[in-house]
Amino acid sequence: MRVLAVDPGLTRCGVGVVDGLPGRRARLVEVAVVRTPVDAPLAERLLAVSEALELAVARHRPDAVAVERVFSRHDVSTVMGTAQASGVALLAAARAGVPVGLHTPSEVKAAVTGSGRAGKAQVTAMVTRILGLDEAPRPADAADALALALCHLWRGAPAGGA
């Protein structure tokens, strides 16, 4: 099974592609971070994220797309950008006819580290170890996307997903 996972964001949007099956070693296919300029108009930033995600879906032909479920934060502007990028990811998957699973950050952390309260460094370390990488994926958005892909591989789409 191939999972393309998206850690949504407007400035940095993590994209990870992993092959694997439950109970088998997962394999890294690709990891990338889509970046957009902070000072660019919102519509242009969303277009850039959309084009990159649609290209990734077309190139990798995933069996599923996993997207981090947007959760409430204190900074409304951050949550709005994350939600908008998440919507673009959902749209890219829907256009390609690929099923989507939404996973909360704590669910992803628990799947990869065993603790839903793990920090970014612990998640990155476990992703590096699980995938047998020579070096940790950087920035954290890249590691988060890979953790999300692993979570989806191991747990599947949550009930009531997208």
Side-chain angles (χ1 to χ4, degrees), residues 11-38:
T11 303
R12 291 181 319 272
C13 181
V15 181
V17 183
V18 174
D19 284 342
L21 294 169
R24 296 226 169 132
R25 186 167 184 96
R27 183 180 69 83
L28 171 68
V29 175
E30 182 178 70
V31 65
V33 176
V34 178
R35 298 173 190 269
T36 66
V38 177

Side-chain angles (χ1 to χ4, degrees), residues 8-138:
L10 272 181
T11 303
R12 291 181 319 272
C13 181
V15 181
V17 183
V18 174
D19 284 342
L21 294 169
R24 296 226 169 132
R25 186 167 184 96
R27 183 180 69 83
L28 171 68
V29 175
E30 182 178 70
V31 65
V33 176
V34 178
R35 298 173 190 269
T36 66
V38 177
D39 57 348
L42 175 61
E44 289 177 19
R45 296 175 79 188
L46 288 170
L47 179 61
V49 171
S50 175
E51 288 173 344
L53 293 178
E54 287 181 9
L55 180 64
V57 169
R59 185 172 61 243
H60 294 293
R61 304 179 50 82
D63 300 301
V65 170
V67 180
E68 185 176 278
R69 184 180 297 274
V70 177
F71 65 98
S72 172
R73 293 185 187 160
H74 296 11
D75 183 0
V76 174
S77 64
T78 301
V79 111
M80 286 301 295
T82 302
Q84 290 164 329
S86 178
V88 167
L90 296 173
L91 183 60
R95 279 194 172 136
V98 179
V100 176
L102 297 171
H103 302 275
T104 65
S106 59
E107 180 185 4
V108 173
K109 292 173 185 179
V112 174
T113 71
S115 170
R117 296 177 183 251
K120 288 203 175 282
Q122 189 177 1
V123 170
T124 299
M126 288 305 296
V127 164
T128 304
R129 185 175 186 186
I130 290 165
L131 292 173
L133 305 176
D134 293 333
E135 59 185 48
R138 298 273 185 249

